[in-house]
Amino acid sequence: MDNWQKVFSDGSPVRAEIVKSVLEENGIPAVVMNKIESVYRIHGQYEVMVPQVEFSKAQNIVKNEISF
């Protein structure tokens, strides 16, 4: 994951999956990483990661095409 960058994070796995799907529909590879701590499950986020070369395009899509 060295060449990947976080483009979105949220406490909701559903929102993270929606962002991932929209990015993939636009031809950008994306993965959701579960950063929720495993014991109490009250701290952490779900992060959507994209390749660094696609980061600017992905960031524009997240800002301009996705609203919750």
Side-chain angles (χ1 to χ4, degrees):
M1 299 297 312
D2 290 340
N3 295 325
W4 290 65
Q5 195 167 354
K6 177 177 66 174
V7 72
F8 178 82
S9 66
D10 196 276
S12 166
V14 174
R15 287 182 177 179
E17 289 294 335
I18 289 170
V19 170
K20 176 186 175 211
S21 295
V22 170
L23 292 172
E24 288 177 339
E25 287 172 4
N26 285 277
I28 300 173
V31 295
V32 175
M33 295 186 68
N34 180 347
K35 295 288 189 161
I36 304 289
E37 59 89 15
S38 61
V39 177
Y40 297 108
R41 299 202 172 272
I42 57 174
H43 299 292
Q45 298 281 313
Y46 293 90
E47 298 179 350
V48 180
M49 308 289 287
V50 296
Q52 286 180 348
V53 295
E54 300 283 358
F55 179 75
S56 294
K57 183 179 174 185
Q59 190 175 37
N60 285 333
I61 291 170
V62 170
K63 285 183 179 180
N64 299 320
E65 297 184 24
I66 301 171
S67 62
F68 295 107

